[in-house]
Amino acid sequence: MKEIKAVIQPARLAKIRSALRNIKGFPGMSVNKMEGCGPHLQKPSVGVREELTDYSPKVYLYMVVPDELVEGILQTIVEVAHTGNIGDGIVWVTPVERMIRLSEQIMVLD
């Protein structure tokens, strides 16, 4: 199993969600609103106030998926999120040692 995380433009969320739902076996995802900034070209020094507010709205997606779905999900996110503009986002994958889906667990009482 792998965890896929992505930071994307908010305007791309609906299209990504629709595209991912078309993947057979897609397990679902979690979404958070966030702000972020990336590397910028050298620019004249600005005040502290401007530096602290130099962020743009982003959406953070994360999901745990079976190994066989990783490439298809990655390809979908990249194709749908990519506009060619600065700030499109980033996607990364990390290994997951273990996952337990809480809704499928049976509680045993002594």
Side-chain angles (χ1 to χ4, degrees):
M1 299 205 84
K2 301 284 191 279
E3 182 178 27
I4 299 176
K5 297 179 183 177
V7 177
I8 62 164
Q9 293 287 342
R12 308 308 278 177
L13 178 60
K15 290 181 181 179
I16 288 174
R17 180 177 176 228
S18 294
L20 290 175
R21 284 183 154 182
N22 289 326
I23 296 175
K24 185 177 180 177
F26 175 66
M29 65 182 174
S30 296
V31 178
N32 285 337
K33 293 179 182 179
M34 64 182 294
E35 292 183 336
C37 68
H40 296 286
L41 299 174
Q42 190 71 7
K43 61 182 182 180
S45 180
V46 294
V48 172
R49 181 179 206 137
E50 289 80 13
E51 286 183 17
L52 293 175
T53 59
D54 185 25
Y55 295 95
S56 58
K58 302 289 183 196
V59 174
Y60 179 56
L61 311 175
Y62 46 106
M63 61 201 82
V64 176
V65 303
D67 290 335
E68 62 271 12
L69 295 180
V70 171
E71 288 306 316
I73 290 173
L74 280 176
Q75 181 178 354
T76 299
I77 293 171
V78 170
E79 287 176 1
V80 177
H82 176 76
T83 67
N85 296 320
I86 293 173
D88 271 352
I90 185 171
V91 184
W92 66 100
V93 179
T94 54
V96 173
E97 186 174 320
R98 187 172 176 198
M99 182 201 68
I100 298 170
R101 195 174 287 278
L102 297 175
S103 61
E104 297 173 3
Q105 295 305 303
I106 299 171
M107 188 170 184
V108 178
L109 300 175
D110 291 329

